[in-house]
Amino acid sequence: MSKYIFRRLLMLIPVVLGITFLIFLILSLSPGDPAILILGSDASHEALVAKRAELGLDKPMIVQYANYVLKVFQGDFGKSWIDGNNVLPMFLERVPYTLYLGSLAMLFAVILGIPLGVVAAIKQHHLVDYFSIASAIILFSLPAFWFGMMAQILFSLILGWLPAAGADTPRHFILPALTLGANIFASQIRMTRTSMLDVVKQDFIRTARAKGVPELKVITRHVLRNGMLPVVTQIGISFASCMGGSVVTEMVFSIPGIGSLLINAVKSRDIPVVMGTLIFVAIVVGIINLIVDIIYAFIDPRVKFKG
Amino acid sequence: MERKLLEVRNLHVRYNTDEAVVYALNGLDIDLEKGETLGLVGETGAGKTTLALSIMQLLPQKVGQITGGSILYDEKELLKFSVKDMLALRGDKISMIFQDPMTSLNPVMSVGDQISEVLEQHFPELSKEQKSEKIDEIMNMVGIPSSRKVEYPHQFSGGMKQRIVIAMALIAEPDLLIADEPTTALDVTIQAQILELIRQLKVKFNSAMILISHDLGVVAEVCDNVAIMYAGEVIEYGPIETVYLKKDNHPYTRGLFNSLPELTRNVDRLEPIMGYMVDPTNLPAGCSFAARCDRCMDICISKKPPVFSDGAHSIKCYLYQHWADK
C-alpha cells in the first residue's frame, strides 16, 4: 500500500504543473497591466518599463512560467508584487485558519448529516424524513453570505452568544463553521438518505432478513456499510471545495485564511500569491482524493490498490 | 394422521401499488409434511415467490399485504407471530434460498461472516471456536474449501455463491427449506450439481422443502409432490407419479407439458399455450385460465371451479366434476 500511496503522491506533480500552467496562461491573457496596477495610472513610462523588467513581464509568457516553476521547485514561491513580502511565510501563517475552519465545518456536517440521513431513510415518509429533507433543501438553497450575516445578527447582535467576526479563539470559529458547513450538511443528508434507500432494496438485504437478523443489525451491518461508499466520495469532494471555496465565509467573518488572501491577490493581479495559493489548494485536493480512495478500499473489498 | 409441518389455507395476498391493486395470491392452499419435498410450478407472475415471502413474512412492507387465510406452521399460526418470534424462526426453523446468487450476498462482508451471522442469531451459546468449526463443516459439505471463508462474494463464481447461500440456509438444520428457483440464474451443468447438493443435504438434515421452479423437469427429479400454480391459486396438486402420468391433468398443466420437448416424442413444432397470463389487477369472475383454455365451457366463465379430488390428486377444473361423485 505504501507503494501505491507514493505513486499517487508522485502523480500530484504533473497535476500541479498542469493547473499552474493553466492559471498562468489565464492571468497572462487577461487584460490589464500589473505594472500600472502597482504604480498607479499616472506613473511615468520609464518607471513602468523598469517595473515590468523587474517583474519579468517583458519576457515571453512561456519563459516567465518556466522561471516561476524552476524557482518553486527550489522552494522559492517569490515575493508579493504588492507589498514585497515573501509568499511562503505569509501563506503558512494563513493556512491553519482555513484548515481549521474547513475541518470544523466538515465535522459538523458529517456528524449531524450522516445520522440524520440514516434516520430519514429508515423512517421514510415519516415526520423525521420530511423534516430532514425540508431542512436539507432549505440549507442547500441559502447562499453562504446571507446565512452568515443572519447568523451574525441572531447569535452575536441579538443574543450576544458568540463573537461576530475575527479568529482569535475557537469560539470565533463556531458561526463560520456552521455557515460553511450548512451546504455540506444538507448534501450529506440527501446523499446518505438516497444511498441507504438504494441499498435497502438490494437482494442481499432480504437474504439478511431471511437469516433472522434483527432490523437494527440489518441496518448497521448490511445497509450502512454498503451505503457509505457514495457518502465518502461526497465528503471528499466537499472537503476539497472547503479549501478553495471558503472565500465567502472568510470574508463575512473576517477570518485571515487562504480564501481572503486569494480574493485580494486576484483583484490586484498579484500573480505569485495567486499561484502559491492555488498550488496549495491543488495539493490538498489531491491528498484528500487519495485519502478517499484509501478509505474506499477499506470499506469495499472489491476495490484493490494497483501498486 | 401425521402432523403437518405446514398448512397454508385460503391465503390471499395483494400488492397495493400506486397504479393498481395486484391480486397476487387468491385463495391458495398447500400442505407439507415433515421431510416432504413439494414442487411449486408456474409461469412468471403466478405468485410462487409471493407465497415464499408470505411464509417468511418478508413481503415488502406496506406494499405487500396478507388479506386473508392462514399459514399454520407446526400447528401454530404464523400470521399471529410477533416480530420477535418470526426473527427466531427465520433462518433457524425456516430458511430460504434465493433465486439470484449474484445479488443475494452482501458484497462487503466475507462469506464466512455471512454464514456466521445465522449462528450468532440462533445459537448465541456457541463459542467462537465451535462456530468456526460448524462453518468449516458446512462449507466442506457444500463443496467449498473452508479456507476460503475469509474471501468476499466477488471472489466466487455464480455456482459457488449459490453453494454459499445454501450453506447459509442449511447451517441451522432447518425443518423447512424454501428454495426459490435456486438454479434459474445458473448454467445447465451447474444447475444439476446444485440440485443434487440441495437434495442430498435436505435428506441429511431431514428438512422438508418447497422447491419453486418453472422447470417441470427439475421438479420431476427432486420432488415427491407437485403443485401447479396459476394466477395465485394451486390449480392442480398431486404426487409426481400421478401428475406426470399425463392421464388426468388441468388443461393448463397439459399445456405446460405440451410446450416441452421430449426425447420419446417426435414433433416438428412445440405447442405453446395461447394468450397471456391473466391480468392480476383485474381477475375474472370464473376460472382465471378460462380465457386461454381450449376446453372452456360456459360454467368456467361464470363460476370459479372448486377443487375436485381423486385420491391424492386434485384439480380445480370443471372437466373433473365427475371426481366429486366418486
Side-chain angles (χ1 to χ4, degrees):
Chain A
M1 197 172 96
S2 56
K3 203 172 149 196
Y4 171 80
I5 294 173
F6 182 68
R7 268 172 51 120
R8 286 285 302 266
L9 288 176
L10 273 186
M11 267 160 62
L12 274 177
I13 296 173
V15 170
V16 168
L17 278 178
I19 290 171
T20 50
F21 182 75
L22 274 177
I23 303 297
F24 212 90
L25 191 68
I26 293 166
L27 287 174
S28 319
L29 290 177
S30 48
D33 185 347
I36 297 177
L37 277 168
I38 296 165
L39 297 177
S41 50
D42 51 354
S44 68
H45 179 70
E46 288 72 28
L48 287 176
V49 171
K51 194 71 188 170
R52 282 187 202 121
E54 183 198 328
L55 301 178
L57 291 173
D58 53 344
K59 299 194 182 70
M61 183 254 159
I62 283 290
V63 177
Q64 290 178 40
Y65 177 69
N67 281 336
Y68 177 75
V69 169
L70 280 177
K71 275 193 174 165
V72 166
F73 272 106
Q74 293 161 20
D76 179 7
F77 284 82
K79 287 188 170 73
S80 163
W81 287 353
I82 305 300
D83 51 19
N85 289 332
N86 266 323
V87 170
L88 198 60
M90 170 164 64
F91 195 69
L92 291 178
E93 198 181 296
R94 282 163 169 267
V95 165
Y97 292 107
T98 297
L99 277 180
Y100 189 55
L101 174 61
S103 310
L104 264 185
M106 284 312 295
L107 206 66
F108 147 68
V110 167
I111 287 181
L112 291 179
I114 291 181
L116 211 56
V118 171
V119 173
I122 297 171
K123 295 273 172 207
Q124 197 192 2
H125 303 313
H126 282 64
L127 211 61
V128 196
D129 186 26
Y130 294 136
F131 169 76
S132 69
I133 290 200
S135 56
I137 292 173
I138 292 169
L139 288 180
F140 203 78
S141 326
L142 294 182
F145 72 88
W146 189 84
F147 187 93
M149 287 192 304
M150 290 304 130
Q152 280 173 327
I153 293 173
L154 179 64
F155 292 106
S156 310
L157 219 61
I158 299 176
L159 295 171
W161 289 353
L162 294 162
D168 304 333
T169 65
R171 274 165 56 86
H172 281 89
F173 281 92
I174 295 176
L175 287 183
L178 287 179
T179 307
L180 185 59
N183 267 330
I184 309 164
F185 167 72
S187 61
Q188 285 298 324
I189 292 181
R190 299 230 59 174
M191 185 56 102
T192 308
R193 178 177 177 275
T194 311
S195 172
M196 294 272 296
L197 287 178
D198 193 50
V199 177
V200 164
K201 280 192 221 112
Q202 308 271 325
D203 283 351
F204 62 82
I205 299 301
R206 193 175 57 182
T207 310
R209 290 192 178 129
K211 286 192 285 193
V213 179
E215 201 55 25
L216 188 67
K217 265 193 192 162
V218 171
I219 300 289
T220 53
R221 221 187 258 177
H222 294 272
V223 184
L224 203 54
R225 197 163 161 201
N226 280 284
M228 273 306 105
L229 288 173
V231 177
V232 167
T233 313
Q234 179 77 25
I235 293 176
I237 295 170
S238 301
F239 196 58
S241 73
C242 267
M243 288 301 104
S246 59
V247 182
V248 175
T249 311
E250 286 181 12
M251 298 296 265
V252 171
F253 291 95
S254 323
I255 290 174
I258 298 293
S260 43
L261 178 70
L262 182 62
I263 277 291
N264 290 329
V266 170
K267 272 197 290 193
S268 56
R269 198 65 65 80
D270 195 348
I271 291 182
V273 178
V274 175
M275 296 292 285
T277 314
L278 290 173
I279 290 175
F280 162 78
V281 173
I283 290 175
V284 170
V285 170
I287 290 174
I288 289 170
N289 276 333
L290 175 61
I291 293 172
V292 166
D293 285 351
I294 292 171
I295 295 175
Y296 240 83
F298 275 108
I299 297 179
D300 191 341
R302 286 168 296 187
V303 179
K304 272 251 170 79
F305 302 121
K306 290 193 188 79
Chain B
M1 207 179 107
E2 205 189 330
R3 241 161 74 142
K4 294 259 166 63
L5 181 69
L6 185 75
E7 258 185 283
V8 179
R9 285 286 165 271
N10 197 25
L11 189 65
H12 286 77
V13 174
R14 64 185 193 197
Y15 294 109
N16 306 306
T17 66
D18 290 339
E19 291 84 28
V21 178
V22 179
Y23 297 92
L25 293 185
N26 307 294
L28 179 131
D29 300 293
I30 55 164
D31 292 289
L32 196 68
E33 286 180 23
K34 286 199 169 107
E36 180 191 329
T37 305
L38 171 69
L40 212 55
V41 180
E43 63 193 286
T44 305
K48 308 182 300 277
T49 303
T50 303
L51 171 64
L53 294 178
S54 303
I55 297 170
M56 297 291 283
Q57 310 245 321
L58 284 176
L59 286 169
Q61 277 174 14
K62 285 182 196 132
V63 179
Q65 187 188 4
I66 296 177
T67 50
S70 81
I71 303 173
L72 289 179
Y73 172 79
D74 215 7
E75 299 187 336
K76 289 184 288 278
E77 177 56 75
L78 280 193
L79 299 182
K80 292 196 180 119
F81 264 43
S82 67
V83 173
K84 209 175 143 218
D85 290 340
M86 240 6 256
L87 280 179
L89 205 66
R90 261 185 234 138
D92 183 19
K93 296 276 183 265
I94 307 180
S95 64
M96 189 158 171
I97 298 170
F98 291 98
Q99 184 169 357
D100 189 353
M102 298 302 175
T103 55
S104 42
L105 292 170
N106 184 340
V108 302
M109 212 169 158
S110 76
V111 296
D113 285 348
Q114 294 193 54
I115 299 174
S116 178
E117 254 194 330
V118 182
L119 297 178
E120 270 169 51
Q121 224 48 60
H122 302 292
F123 305 94
E125 70 281 1
L126 291 181
S127 71
K128 224 176 167 183
E129 291 74 32
Q130 284 170 313
K131 275 182 202 152
S132 163
E133 222 168 84
K134 276 201 80 147
I135 294 167
D136 290 355
E137 193 189 354
I138 194 86
M139 283 188 78
N140 288 329
M141 248 182 245
V142 298
I144 293 176
S146 56
S147 58
R148 295 193 66 182
K149 67 182 167 187
V150 293
E151 293 182 19
Y152 291 88
H154 71 277
Q155 289 161 297
F156 293 89
S157 68
M160 293 184 104
K161 276 185 207 164
Q162 195 61 306
R163 286 168 190 269
I164 290 159
V165 173
I166 292 169
M168 234 156 60
L170 289 174
I171 192 163
E173 305 186 9
D175 294 332
L176 172 59
L177 176 66
I178 303 173
D180 185 4
E181 309 210 18
T183 58
T184 308
L186 304 172
D187 65 67
V188 181
T189 45
I190 307 294
Q191 273 188 22
Q193 291 173 16
I194 295 288
L195 271 180
E196 185 54 32
L197 177 70
I198 294 177
R199 181 158 62 175
Q200 276 173 13
L201 293 176
K202 172 202 162 302
V203 171
K204 188 178 168 77
F205 296 133
N206 195 26
S207 310
M209 175 161 82
I210 298 177
L211 177 69
I212 298 174
S213 180
H214 51 238
D215 187 333
L216 283 162
V218 164
V219 169
E221 244 174 85
V222 183
C223 301
D224 307 314
N225 294 306
V226 60
I228 313 284
M229 282 184 70
Y230 190 80
E233 286 175 82
V234 173
I235 48 143
E236 178 164 2
Y237 171 85
I240 289 283
E241 305 83 44
T242 325
V243 175
Y244 280 63
L245 214 56
K246 301 179 192 172
K247 199 161 107 329
D248 296 313
N249 282 127
H250 190 286
Y252 177 63
T253 316
R254 190 164 303 150
L256 287 182
F257 280 129
N258 283 341
S259 55
L260 283 181
E262 269 179 59
L263 289 174
T264 52
R265 203 159 52 112
N266 200 0
V267 286
D268 290 334
R269 288 183 73 89
L270 292 171
E271 262 182 63
I273 306 174
M274 287 308 175
Y276 295 100
M277 186 77 158
V278 63
D279 177 8
T281 61
N282 185 18
L283 291 172
C287 174
S288 12
F289 188 63
R292 301 170 77 182
C293 185
D294 50 4
R295 299 175 68 182
C296 181
M297 302 173 285
D298 290 343
I299 188 170
C300 304
I301 293 171
S302 56
K303 233 176 115 192
K304 247 189 181 348
V307 178
F308 299 106
S309 300
D310 177 18
H313 192 188
S314 53
I315 299 178
K316 266 189 187 175
C317 177
Y318 284 116
L319 289 175
Y320 298 92
Q321 223 165 351
H322 57 280
W323 282 7
D325 309 326
K326 274 189 185 173

